[in-house]
């Protein structure tokens, strides 16, 4: 396995942090195209690197992973590779934050999940969430979901940084 190193400083500004995280995700996926392998390693890198950043030490990440479109039901997400506590195994499109991202194919940045209509509480410790749809050729293949223990855990820098991570994964994986 390739040595991907670690983030250069725990006190990086978020934009620079996401540049370095994107380099790490590119490195772990450039010689591998199987999506299960890449999403498994990506969830570990994302979870641990985000929690190493000073910002997220104040607002810890408690879950980072993926939901994939169910091959048996194109209107449902099923649990994919992740880091964190046991998670919901199925989410219908339009239900909760992940389902909203899947239905709209738009990134959801939720400052307080308890105020989100239809929020699904897989882990009661989660208070904010960001969900990035993974889309290839106009087709949703899944979502990247990250939960934070504190309210207002995510902002536009997270949105843009994680959208870039999502695109790297979409581009470097074989999905059929």
């Amino acid at each position: 396995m390739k040595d991907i190193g670690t983030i250069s400083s725990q006190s990086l500004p978020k934009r620079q942090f996401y540049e370095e995280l994107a380099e790490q995700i590119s490195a772990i996926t450039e010689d591998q195209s199987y999506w299960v392998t890449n999403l498994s390693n990506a969830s570990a890198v994302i979870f641990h690197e985000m929690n190493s950043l000073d910002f997220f030490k104040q607002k810890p990440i408690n879950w980072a992973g993926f939901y994939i479109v169910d091959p048996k039901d194109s209107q449902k997400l099923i649990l994919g590779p992740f880091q964190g506590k046991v998670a919901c195994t199925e989410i219908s499109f339009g239900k909760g934050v992940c389902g909203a991202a899947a239905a709209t194919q738009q990134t959801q940045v939720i400052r307080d999940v308890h105020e989100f209509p239809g929020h699904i509480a897989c882990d009661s410790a989660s208070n904010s969430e960001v969900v990035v749809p993974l889309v290839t050729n106009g087709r949703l293949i899944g979502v990247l979901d990250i939960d934070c223990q504190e309210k207002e855990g995510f902002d536009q820098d997270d949105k843009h940084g994680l959208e870039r991570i999502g695109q790297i994964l979409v581009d470097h994986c074989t999905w059929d």
Side-chain angles (χ1 to χ4, degrees):
M1 178 164 166
K2 213 175 261 205
D3 179 17
I4 61 168
T6 58
I7 297 300
S8 64
S9 171
Q10 296 174 346
S11 59
L12 286 176
K14 280 189 182 179
R15 287 182 187 178
Q16 189 176 349
F17 165 79
Y18 282 113
E19 288 174 18
E20 291 189 20
L21 186 62
E23 290 173 14
Q24 287 182 310
I25 298 298
S26 290
I28 64 171
T29 60
E30 71 183 13
D31 295 329
Q32 176 59 255
S33 63
Y34 186 50
W35 67 268
V36 173
T37 302
N38 286 341
L39 298 188
S40 296
N41 278 332
S43 64
V45 170
I46 292 166
F47 182 82
H48 292 287
E49 292 294 10
M50 287 182 84
N51 278 319
S52 75
L53 194 64
D54 286 345
F55 177 86
F56 289 112
K57 287 180 181 175
Q58 303 302 312
K59 296 187 178 208
I61 300 301
N62 59 316
W63 201 92
F66 300 89
Y67 283 91
I68 305 303
V69 174
D70 187 339
K72 297 177 184 176
D73 182 349
S74 65
Q75 295 299 302
K76 183 169 54 176
L77 298 167
I78 56 174
L79 183 62
F82 72 95
Q83 299 283 305
K85 292 183 180 180
V86 172
C88 299
T89 58
E90 298 179 349
I91 299 173
S92 296
F93 281 29
K95 302 290 183 187
V97 182
C98 288
T104 63
Q105 292 189 15
Q106 295 180 354
T107 299
Q108 305 289 309
V109 179
I110 308 302
R111 298 166 64 89
D112 182 349
V113 295
H114 305 290
E115 293 179 1
F116 188 85
H119 169 64
I120 301 169
C122 297
D123 180 354
S124 62
S126 297
N127 284 297
S128 58
E129 185 170 8
V130 59
V131 181
V132 176
L134 305 175
V135 179
T136 183
N137 300 321
R139 176 178 65 105
L140 181 79
I141 48 180
V143 299
L144 165 58
D145 178 24
I146 303 179
D147 294 359
C148 179
Q149 293 178 8
E150 301 296 327
K151 293 178 182 175
E152 300 181 10
F154 304 104
D155 59 22
Q156 292 301 301
D157 288 338
D158 299 297
K159 175 185 185 286
H160 297 300
L162 292 167
E163 285 174 341
R164 182 172 177 206
I165 300 300
Q167 192 59 55
I168 291 166
L169 292 165
V170 166
D171 292 344
H172 289 197
C173 292
T174 302
W175 297 101
D176 295 321

